[in-house]
Structures are given as structure tokens and as C-alpha cells.
């Protein structure tokens, strides 16, 4: 059976059906529609004002590649300039290959590229070192917990280095849907209360962040990359199989197969969750050590690093934060004592 | 294992407990009896302690929320399944206790016969009905058995939200209880001497132990074949099992509320257990009902105005319910439902159920975590969303619409207005595909899509969208 005509231009043969609406489109019309939708998201949400210097978090993967490409296409219309910021977490066998892809992209698009490495920013703690530190005793290594927090800090640092005014990341609708499922399954009311918008406006001195691809489903991102023949790195992280997100991702794939609108319905739900005021996170202040945005005395990045440096990596994860105080890592020769309970504010 | 806030100072809960299970283990509560059931992660209870624990939870949920006033008429929605049977049994036991601890409301039972929607033959339906009547007669409350076909006879007024009665304050509840107790005393003094409160209480509650004379249009008249056929056609026209489930729930709710209204019940109790509510919460999330989770899964649901739906079984897990029913011989009737024997991938509901139960095997606190999160949800629009006067309500589920019709693109998920965004077509999402509602147009609860226009409703067939 021959493919139907493209529903938009009525000239070329349709090359795909859009997952959401089922319309048959040819490659060029689909790419145009995709770009138009991203433009609409950015303009309607007033995410990137004219004259903004935008740091694109580039990992070499499909989402950030598509994001950078689309923003480059739209840059003249929006009046923004782009800088690529890549984060090197120090994951052997994975990140080096991804960085090579980012470098090729930067050369191809002629965009300035800055690479920030965990090893430089966080006192030698690469993700491999973190994984070795947290391994053992049959519990999960919680790598994604560390990597996610530290990466956001690294991205912020990289953006400041290049003088950016906004940070964009390539999270797509599937990512947002997985996040809301995951947060419910783990009972993370604070994140549920905070999440679900199109990014954060940048309170307390942090750079405003947004996710222009948030309403694009993952299938469409892949199709766009295919039709525009973009070169990206498509292997998954070495630590990904251990992540709890895998369960949410598996569930999302099943839901999508049963009902294609489930992904966007989840994003819609997440935007409208109403949580009790007591469950919401406290208003953010500044970290006492590094000055970044923090809802407690120490920002999560400093808290995690503190735990790592003390040899107690899980100190800042979960209820273990109760034992955290302002004292630095123990000096040599001093026995490791549990910090005095009255010195710690109740979390 | 992956719970936020879990204390990593303790060893992970997957490790086997150091004590040897078996002969030496005693009930964790009374430390004497032989345990018969393990609740949660390792608490073994003996039979009596389990019964006390179970009953206490039921009473505590009712007492904590203070919504059921003494002397109030409460309708128990009984499906025949284990959770609602357990609830009915709890109410029965609670009403027959000594006066201080007795439950103080007037119960009735409603049972909806959904055989036509599930495609059962008339013989199967009659058989199930006979079994149900047997149990209903044993229980002895006034009962109403209603066929789902009667939903076609509902007046349009059910779709209008009645004025909300203000929820009583703490003071009002206490005052009501005190005055009720005083009444009891007075009647007891006036009446005969021996065991006054019990006898007087029974008379006041006045439920007949045999046939119920209270429902003149009682169920012994089976629905006509034309109605059954119309109902089957309605359900067949709905393409996906997910949508059928949602439709069935909407129709069932409306019918139960109608029965409650016509017979003067002000509260309806449903037997949703903790497990079912956790699954329902995740399902509602996946269906786009994030704004209404507090109504769908909270203890009380007052969106219908005059009749309030309460869920007293919401802290009992399915495991506890099953064990209680088994140990204490609670009768229940099995009737096939819409998704009985359906494959796992057939609907969102089935998928979510299978997923949650599987995850619960691996992480035993999954259901309780989701339940605890649901307790933190409030019934209000999220901060930052339109906090103005209450807007139009959905026709089917009576919740305030969560679509921003003014065209703010952030809240409408359809992306940029396509060139087809003209005033003519109202695109219905899958769940309402089968319903071509005649009569004046009303606002429908769309998951996504362009702003609804006040023209007629069309059934827009979406080509290429897989069922």
C-alpha cells in the first residue's frame, strides 16, 4: 500500500505519522512543524528573551543535539546567541566517547564549546571514584543521585564561565513523565511540589533554566534527528541499569503502547498537582559554603561532597542529612565522631 | 531501597531478619499467642490481635475524619468483592457493639448489577443476583439492588452540581455527638428499664431484618431487553478498555449517587482499600487527572455537593482484607468485571495494577509510600493557576475543568494552534469517543486539545491513533 500524501504540503509522500496526532507528514514538513512547536513553547512561555546568551547543556546525546540544532535554527528569530557547555563526569568508557561527539558537533555548527570536568570542580571526585566509594554491602550505589546534583552544579559553573544568562537542557516529554512517575513511586513530595513547570525562573542568584523540548515526545526527537541527519552518541550510561528511573521508564513505555497520549497526560498531571503546604520544600536561601541556591544550610552538592570527603558517602542522602553539620572533614589523626545532635538544625 | 528519606544507617530491609521464623515467634503485640498472619514487613499477629488491629483501623479512620454525624443515613456501596464485603461486615459488627463504642449511623446497602456492561448472559446475572440477595438478607440492612441499565432513566439533574453544604467544624461535630447521646439518655429513661440503650438504639435505627419494604421500585423487575441492548451498544462503541473502565466508573458513581439522593442518604461509603487507591492514584496520574487526585483518592469526595463519598477502608491493604475475610469468614460474591481475564497490556488500569504489584514484591513499601504521598494532596488548584471564581465543571466527573480555555499556551498541551484551529471541531479524547450526547452542549473534560467551543459535540474520529 503506497504511503499517503503529506497532510501539510500535499506534494511529497508522507514519511511518518506523528505519534501524537496521527497525521501523516513528509520529512521536511515534520521538521518544520517540530521547529514551530519549539518556537511556540519558547515564545509563549517567554523563556528566552531577546539578547539572551544561552548555555546549552550538551551531552552528545540525541536530546541535547536536537536542542542545539533547533535553537541554532531559531536563534536569528529569537535574537539569542548560543554557547555549548559539556560536562565531563569522569565515567570511563562512556563520557569520553560522548565528548568526542560533542566536539564534532561544535566544529560542525561553529559554536564555542566549554568542557567542565568533575575532577576539576569537585576536588578530584569523578563519578567512577564516587561509585567505588559508595559500592559495597549489597546496597545500591546511588550513582544517579550524585551525578544529577553535581552535574547541575557543574552546568551552572560552566554557564557562568561563558557569561551566559540562561541555561537550557534537552529534557523531553518522556523525561518529564518518567520523573513524575518516579517521584510518586518514591514518595518525593518536595520534588513533586517543585516540578512540573517549564523550568525554574532563577531565584536567589541562580541562572534561569528551561527545557524547550519539554512538550516534544521522545519519538519525535529521534525522528527529527533522523531527518536532519544529526550526528549524536546513542549509548546509555554505564551506571544506568542500576537506576530506579529504569522502572519508571519501563512503565512509561508500556503505558505509551496502551495509550499514546499517556506521556503528555502525565506531563499535564504533573503541572497540576496540588500538594499541602507542609509538604512543599522551604523557601530557598543560600548555601553557607558556596553561596548557591539551597533550601537548607548546605546546598545538596556541598552536602554530598562533604559526605564523600568524610568517607561516609551516604551522609547527605535521605534521612542521613540529619547528622550533617558545618564542621569540615576530620583532620588526620582525629577519630571520626558522630556530630553532636544539638548542633544540627532539625530538617 | 529507593525511598526518599530512607535512613541508610539501618541495614537494608531486604536482608532477612536475624531471628528464626517459626516455632519461637510470638505475636508482636500480645507476645503470647501464636501468630497467624504477617502484616507489613515482619509484624506477626495472632488471630485476636489481628482482629483488634483491623477493627481499630476502621474505627480510627472514621473517627479521625469526623465526617459521619450520629444518626446520619449512610449508603454502603457493595460490589460483592472482598474489600466492600469487609467494609459491610465491619459496619455490621460496629453497630452491634455496646453503646459507648457503637457506630452511630443508619446504614443501607446499594449494589449495582453491571452484568450488561461486562457482557454476562442473563442466566449468569440472575445467579449472581441470587447469591447477593442471600448475603444481603443475612446482613439485614435495607438494601437496594439496581441494574446499570437504569442509568438511562436518570434525570439530567444528576449532572448538575448541587450547592455544597458547608463542612461542619470541630465544634459542630462534637455538639452533634453530645446532643445525640443526650437524646439516647432521655429515651432510655423514658423507656423500659433493662438494657434501655441497646433496645432503644435498635428501634431508632429501625432496620428490618427481612425484606425491605422501603424501595417500592425494587429490583425484582429486571431491566428490559431494550435497555440491556442499549447499554451493550454503548459499551461496545467505546474502543479501548481504558475508556470503558472510566465510563463504567462514571456511570456507576452517578447511579449510586442517584440512589442515595432519592432515598435520603447523605453519605456513601465505598470499599476502596489502600492497594486499590494507590493503583487508582497512579492510573489517574497517567490519564491526566493530576489536578483531581485529592478527590479521586482522598478520604472524602464532596464534588457532588449534597452527597459525600467517603472511603473508610483506605488504610487497609488488600492483604489484610483478604486474610481477615478468610479468618473470620466474611461472605463475598465474585462477579466478573470488565477487565477480568484481560491481558496485562489491555488497559492503563491493568498495566498499572500489574506494575505496582510487581514493584511491591521488590520494594515492599511501594504501596504505602504512594498512599502516604496521596495523603499530602490537597483539594485546591495549584498555586499560580487560576485562583478565581470556580469555573465550569466536567459533565461526567463533576470536577472543575483543568483546561485553561483562555488560550494560555502553557496550560494547553496541544502545542501551537494548528491551521485547523477553527471554531468548528471539538476533538474528543479516546474516553469519550463513544458518547454522542444529544441536547444542549456542555463543557467536556478534555485531556488536551484546542479550547472547546460552544457548538455541538462531534465525535472526531482520529485516524491512525491506535486503540
Amino acid at each position: 500500500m503506497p504511503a499517503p500524501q503529506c497532510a501539510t504540503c500535499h506534494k511529497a509522500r508522507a514519511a511518518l505519522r506523528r505519534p501524537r496526532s496521527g497525521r501523516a507528514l513528509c520529512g521536511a514538513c515534520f521538521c518544520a512543524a517540530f521547529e514551530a512547536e519549539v518556537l511556540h513553547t519558547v515564545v509563549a512561555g517567554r523563556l528566552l528573551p531577546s539578547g539572551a546568551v544561552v548555555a546549552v547543556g550538551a551531552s552528545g546525546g540525541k536530546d541535547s543535539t536536537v536542542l542545539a540544532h533547533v535553537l541554532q535554527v531559531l536563534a536569528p528569530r529569537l535574537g539569542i546567541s548560543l554557547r555549548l557547555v559539556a560536562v565531563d563526569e569522569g565515567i570511563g568508557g562512556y563520557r569520553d566517547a560522548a565528548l568526542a561527539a560533542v566536539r564534532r558537533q561544535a566544529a560542525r555548527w561553529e559554536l564555542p564549546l566549554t568542557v567542565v570536568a568533575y575532577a576539576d570542580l569537585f576536588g578530584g571526585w569523578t563519578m567512577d571514584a564516587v561509585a567505588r566509594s559508595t559500592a559495597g554491602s549489597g546496597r545500591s550505589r546511588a550513582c544517579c543521585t550524585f551525578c544529577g546534583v553535581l552535574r547541575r552544579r557543574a552546568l551552572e559553573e560552566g554557564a557562568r564561565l561563558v557569561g551566559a544568562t540562561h541555561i537550557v537542557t534537552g529534557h523531553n516529554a518522556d523525561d518529564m513523565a518518567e520523573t513524575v512517575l518516579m517521584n510518586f513511586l518514591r514518595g518525593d513530595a518536595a520534588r513533586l511540589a517543585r516540578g512540573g513547570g517549564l523550568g525554574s525562573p532563577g531565584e536567589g542568584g541562580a541562572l534561569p533554566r528551561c527545557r524547550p523540548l519539554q512538550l516534544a515526545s521522545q519519538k519525535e526527537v529521534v525522528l527529527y534527528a533522523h531527518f536532519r541527519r544529526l550526528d549524536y552518541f546513542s549509548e546509555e550510561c554505564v551506571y544506568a541499569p542500576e537506576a530506579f528511573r529504569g522502572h519508571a521508564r519501563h512503565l512509561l513505555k508500556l503505558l505509551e503502547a496502551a495509550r499514546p497520549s499517556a506521556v503528555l497526560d502525565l506531563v499535564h498531571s504533573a503541572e497540576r498537582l496540588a500538594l499541602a503546604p507542609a509538604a512543599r520544600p522551604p523557601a530557598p536561601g543560600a548555601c553557607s559554603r558556596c553561596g548557591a541556591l539551597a533550601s537548607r544550610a548546605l546546598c545538596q552538592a556541598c552536602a554530598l561532597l562533604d559526605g564523600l570527603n568524610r568517607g561516609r558517602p551516604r551522609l547527605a542522602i535521605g534521612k542521613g542529612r540529619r547528622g550533617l553539620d558545618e564542621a569540615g572533614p576530620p583532620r588526620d589523626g582525629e577519630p571520626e565522631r558522630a556530630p553532636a545532635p544539638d548542633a544540627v538544625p532539625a530538617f | 531501597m529507593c525511598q526518599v528519606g530512607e535512613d541508610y544507617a539501618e541495614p537494608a530491609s531486604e536482608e532477612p531478619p536475624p531471628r528464626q521464623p517459626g516455632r519461637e515467634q510470638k505475636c508482636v503485640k500480645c507476645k503470647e499467642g501464636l501468630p497467624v498472619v504477617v502484616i507489613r514487613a515482619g509484624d506477626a499477629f495472632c488471630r485476636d490481635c489481628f482482629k483488634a488491629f483491623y477493627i481499630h483501623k476502621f474505627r480510627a479512620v472514621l473517627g479521625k475524619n469526623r465526617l459521619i454525624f450520629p444518626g446520619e443515613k449512610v449508603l454502603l456501596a457493595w460490589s460483592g468483592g472482598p474489600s466492600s464485603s469487609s467494609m459491610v461486615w465491619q459496619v455490621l459488627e460496629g453497630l452491634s457493639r455496646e453503646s459507648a463504642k457503637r457506630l452511630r449511623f443508619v446504614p443501607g446497602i446499594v449494589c449495582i448489577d453491571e452484568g450488561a456492561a461486562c457482557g454476562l448472559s442473563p442466566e449468569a446475572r440472575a445467579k449472581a443476583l441470587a447469591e447477593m440477595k442471600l448475603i444481603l438478607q443475612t446482613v439485614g440492612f435495607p438494601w437496594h439492588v439496581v441494574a446499570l441499565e437504569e442509568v438511562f432513566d436518570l434525570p439530567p439533574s444528576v449532572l448538575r452540581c448541587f450547592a455544597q453544604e458547608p463542612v461542619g467544624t470541630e465544634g459542630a461535630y462534637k455538639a452533634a455527638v453530645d446532643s445525640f447521646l443526650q437524646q439516647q439518655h432521655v429515651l432510655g429513661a423514658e423507656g423500659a428499664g433493662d438494657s434501655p440503650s441497646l433496645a432503644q438504639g435498635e428501634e431508632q435505627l429501625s432496620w428490618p431484618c427481612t425484606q425491605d419494604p422501603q424501595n417500592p421500585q425494587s429490583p425484582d423487575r429486571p431491566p428490559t431487553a431494550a435497555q440491556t441492548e442499549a447499554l451493550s451498544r454503548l459499551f461496545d462503541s467505546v474502543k479501548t478498555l481504558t475508556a470503558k473502565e472510566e465510563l463504567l466508573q462514571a456511570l456507576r458513581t452517578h447511579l449510586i449517587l442517584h440512589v442515595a439522593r432519592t432515598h435520603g442518604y447523605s453519605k456513601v461509603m465505598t470499599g476502596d482499600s489502600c492497594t486499590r487507591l494507590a493503583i487508582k492514584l497512579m492510573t489517574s496520574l497517567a490519564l491526566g487527572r493530576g489536578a483531581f487526585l485529592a478527590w479521586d483518592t482522598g478520604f472524602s469526595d464532596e464534588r457532588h455537593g449534597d452527597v459525600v463519598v467517603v472511603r473508610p477502608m483506605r488504610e487497609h491493604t488488600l492483604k489484610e482484607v483478604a486474610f481477615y475475610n478468610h479468618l473470620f469468614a466474611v461472605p463475598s460474591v465474585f462477579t466478573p468485571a470488565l477487565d477480568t481475564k484481560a491481558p496485562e497490556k489491555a488497559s492503563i488500569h491493568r498495566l498499572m495494577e500489574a506494575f505496582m504489584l510487581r514493584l511491591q514484591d521488590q520494594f515492599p513499601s511501594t504501596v504505602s509510600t504512594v498512599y502516604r504521598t496521596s495523603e499530602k494532596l490537597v483539594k485546591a488548584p495549584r498555586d499560580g493557576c487560576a485562583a478565581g471564581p470556580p469555573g465550569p465543571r466536567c459533565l461526567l466527573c463533576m470536577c472543575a475543568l483543568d483546561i485553561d480555555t483562555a488560550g494560555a499556551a502553557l496550560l494547553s498541551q496541544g502545542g501551537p494552534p494548528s491551521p485547523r484551529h477553527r471554531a468548528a471541531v471539538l476533538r474528543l479524547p479516546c474516553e469519550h469517543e463513544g458518547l454522542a450526547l444529544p441536547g444542549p452542549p456542555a463543557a467536556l473534560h478534555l485531556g488536551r486539545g484546542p479550547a472547546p467551543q460552544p457548538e455541538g459535540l462531534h465525535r472526531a474520529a482520529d485516524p491512525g491513533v491506535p486503540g
Side-chain angles (χ1 to χ4, degrees):
Chain A
M1 196 161 80
Q5 290 275 338
C6 169
T8 305
C9 65
H10 302 290
K11 285 195 292 251
R13 284 249 163 262
L16 71 138
R17 262 190 205 283
R18 288 200 76 174
R20 219 195 309 159
S21 57
R23 295 185 75 199
L25 296 174
C26 66
C29 292
F30 166 69
C31 293
F34 188 85
E35 285 160 10
E37 281 167 17
V38 175
L39 179 64
H40 176 82
T41 306
V42 170
V43 165
R46 290 187 281 274
L47 299 176
L48 301 173
S50 177
V53 178
V54 178
V56 179
S59 63
K62 61 176 179 354
D63 296 322
S64 54
T65 305
V66 165
L67 175 69
H69 183 95
V70 171
L71 281 182
Q72 237 206 342
V73 166
L74 297 175
R77 275 187 77 165
L78 292 170
I80 57 178
S81 61
L82 300 176
R83 312 265 186 276
L84 290 180
V85 176
V87 176
D88 177 9
E89 307 101 339
I91 302 179
Y94 165 69
R95 188 43 77 192
D96 1 9
L99 280 179
V102 180
R103 288 186 219 276
R104 283 198 302 270
Q105 287 165 4
R108 189 177 140 180
W109 294 325
E110 291 162 15
L111 287 175
L113 167 67
T114 312
V115 179
V116 280
Y118 279 14
D120 302 326
L121 284 175
F122 304 128
W125 281 107
T126 61
M127 273 317 296
D128 287 339
V130 170
R132 278 192 295 272
S133 166
T134 56
S137 71
R139 275 174 289 167
S140 78
R141 291 190 281 189
C143 293
C144 295
T145 307
F146 286 88
C147 192
V149 173
L150 296 177
R151 183 162 355 103
R152 275 158 181 79
R153 164 54 49 75
L155 210 51
E156 180 107 13
E157 288 300 319
R160 282 191 202 282
L161 272 179
V162 299
T165 54
H166 291 74
I167 300 179
V168 294
T169 47
H171 293 95
N172 56 39
D174 288 46
D175 291 329
M176 307 308 303
E178 284 166 20
T179 302
V180 74
L181 283 175
M182 197 172 77
N183 285 339
F184 252 104
L185 290 172
R186 293 173 72 237
D188 200 341
R191 287 209 174 91
L192 282 172
R194 233 186 292 151
L198 269 174
S200 59
E203 40 205 0
L207 289 176
R209 284 186 261 147
C210 66
R211 303 176 281 245
L213 294 184
Q214 187 169 333
L215 299 174
S217 68
Q218 186 158 290
K219 275 190 195 155
E220 303 208 324
V221 170
V222 175
L223 285 169
Y224 184 87
H226 167 75
F227 281 114
R228 291 287 194 226
R229 292 191 238 290
L230 299 176
D231 158 38
Y232 60 86
F233 181 71
S234 56
E235 287 176 24
E236 70 169 5
C237 173
V238 168
Y239 300 113
E242 306 167 7
F244 188 78
R245 188 175 275 263
H247 294 284
R249 186 166 289 173
H250 175 66
L251 175 63
L252 187 67
K253 287 299 141 206
L254 291 174
L255 290 175
E256 197 180 1
R259 196 174 206 240
S261 64
V263 175
L264 285 167
D265 289 341
L266 276 166
V267 178
H268 178 97
S269 291
E271 282 183 0
R272 283 160 182 76
L273 284 175
L275 282 139
R280 292 187 208 142
C287 170
S288 52
R289 218 176 271 186
C290 65
L293 201 63
S295 39
R296 299 174 230 201
L298 280 184
C299 69
Q300 187 72 358
C302 287
L304 287 174
L305 288 169
D306 211 28
L308 285 171
N309 286 327
R310 290 200 208 186
R312 294 173 58 193
R314 291 178 196 276
L315 193 59
I317 299 181
K319 291 198 189 126
R321 277 204 79 159
R322 250 190 251 126
L324 212 56
D325 67 7
E326 300 302 319
R331 289 178 283 277
D332 291 348
E334 205 173 29
E336 170 82 330
R337 288 187 328 268
D342 50 336
V344 174
F347 289 139
Chain B
M1 187 168 166
C2 289
Q3 305 305 327
V4 162
E6 180 174 323
D7 198 342
Y8 280 94
E10 258 75 80
S13 56
E14 278 85 37
E15 295 171 10
R19 58 176 188 274
Q20 286 291 72
R23 288 173 302 243
E24 292 98 34
Q25 199 174 8
K26 291 280 183 213
C27 168
V28 299
K29 198 154 165 221
C30 63
K31 315 266 191 291
E32 290 170 356
L34 219 53
V36 298
V37 60
V38 176
I39 301 292
R40 298 188 284 252
D43 292 341
F45 282 81
C46 68
R47 197 189 152 98
D48 297 321
C49 289
F50 176 58
K51 180 168 187 170
F53 163 80
Y54 193 87
I55 295 182
H56 168 77
K57 251 213 272 206
F58 184 78
R59 312 298 297 270
V61 168
L62 283 180
K64 190 167 54 171
N65 286 284
R66 298 196 160 196
L67 271 184
I68 310 222
F69 283 63
E72 208 173 355
K73 285 182 78 172
V74 174
L75 189 61
L76 307 175
W78 183 60
S79 63
S83 307
S84 48
S85 304
S86 200
M87 176 182 75
V88 167
W89 214 250
Q90 290 299 306
V91 170
L92 185 61
E93 290 210 343
L95 282 164
S96 59
R97 283 189 161 202
E98 62 281 4
S99 66
K101 298 219 189 131
R102 198 169 39 175
L103 289 177
R104 295 192 189 98
F105 53 83
V106 181
I109 302 189
V110 67
C111 178
I112 309 279
D113 169 24
E114 297 167 0
C118 307
L120 290 182
S121 66
E123 296 82 27
R125 290 174 71 178
K127 183 160 160 286
L129 226 56
E131 284 181 41
M132 287 188 177
K133 285 192 187 157
L134 217 57
I135 299 181
L136 287 170
Q137 277 155 1
T138 326
V139 169
F141 300 152
W143 49 268
H144 317 269
V145 171
V146 186
L148 192 64
E149 285 87 335
E150 296 194 24
V151 79
F152 289 119
D153 296 331
L154 289 180
S157 58
V158 298
L159 296 179
R160 241 169 274 134
C161 178
F162 290 85
Q164 307 239 350
E165 287 183 7
V167 179
T169 56
E170 287 279 313
Y173 183 81
K174 206 147 183 351
V177 172
D178 287 340
S179 74
F180 184 81
L181 286 174
Q182 263 192 348
Q183 257 184 359
Q184 293 271 42
H185 269 304
V186 164
L187 285 170
E190 284 175 8
D194 45 348
S195 63
S197 38
L198 203 60
Q200 293 298 339
E202 288 223 16
E203 278 200 295
Q204 269 205 343
L205 294 178
S206 70
W207 70 80
C209 291
T210 50
Q211 288 296 350
D212 78 283
Q214 296 180 4
N215 189 2
Q217 55 269 56
S218 184
D220 285 344
R221 178 204 59 181
T224 66
Q227 282 182 322
T228 309
E229 158 109 37
L231 195 68
S232 310
R233 239 195 339 239
L234 176 66
F235 273 86
D236 283 339
S237 71
V238 179
K239 296 200 181 70
T240 60
L241 188 58
T242 309
K244 282 191 211 193
E245 283 270 356
E246 291 290 302
L247 179 63
L248 182 62
Q249 279 177 25
L251 294 179
R252 187 197 296 153
T253 311
H254 281 298
L255 198 52
I256 292 180
L257 288 168
H258 177 72
V259 170
R261 281 190 191 113
T262 34
H263 295 278
Y265 292 95
S266 52
K267 299 270 189 317
V268 173
M269 274 196 191
T270 59
D272 295 308
S273 59
C274 181
T275 315
R276 285 271 162 243
L277 281 176
I279 296 173
K280 182 165 187 186
L281 184 136
M282 299 296 293
T283 311
S284 300
L285 207 60
L287 289 172
R289 293 183 62 86
F292 316 123
L293 291 178
W295 285 278
D296 283 345
T297 57
F299 173 72
S300 71
D301 179 0
E302 35 337 80
R303 57 188 136 146
H304 302 273
D306 50 345
V307 180
V308 179
V309 179
V310 298
R311 303 184 175 99
M313 299 292 291
R314 68 192 300 257
E315 299 199 3
H316 300 257
T317 61
L318 262 185
K319 178 176 178 180
E320 292 166 17
V321 168
F323 270 100
Y324 185 89
N325 289 4
H326 172 73
L327 289 173
F328 300 101
V330 173
S332 61
V333 177
F334 172 73
T335 41
L338 257 188
D339 61 355
T340 302
K341 290 198 196 168
E344 188 181 297
K345 308 216 168 133
S347 71
I348 302 280
H349 304 76
R350 291 286 278 156
L351 271 172
M352 216 34 114
E353 181 186 3
F355 176 79
M356 293 285 285
L357 295 177
R358 233 190 342 251
L359 204 64
Q360 173 83 2
D361 273 344
Q362 223 179 329
F363 305 114
S365 51
T366 303
V367 165
S368 59
T369 302
V370 175
Y371 171 72
R372 259 185 292 119
T373 311
S374 82
E375 287 188 318
K376 297 182 187 151
L377 295 166
V378 290
K379 295 172 181 165
R382 191 188 176 119
D383 299 339
C385 286
R393 287 180 170 253
C394 169
L395 199 61
L396 290 174
C397 71
M398 313 298 290
C399 291
L401 288 185
D402 63 345
I403 309 286
D404 190 20
T405 55
L410 282 185
L411 291 182
S412 82
Q413 298 288 328
S418 68
R420 300 186 329 172
H421 181 60
R422 289 182 289 270
V425 176
L426 188 67
R427 288 174 61 191
L428 305 177
C430 302
E431 57 238 56
H432 305 306
E433 258 172 13
L435 305 177
L437 293 170
L444 255 203
H445 188 185
L446 300 174
R448 306 172 289 116
Q453 302 294 329
E455 255 118 8
L457 305 173
H458 302 261
R459 181 168 31 147
D462 237 349
V465 173

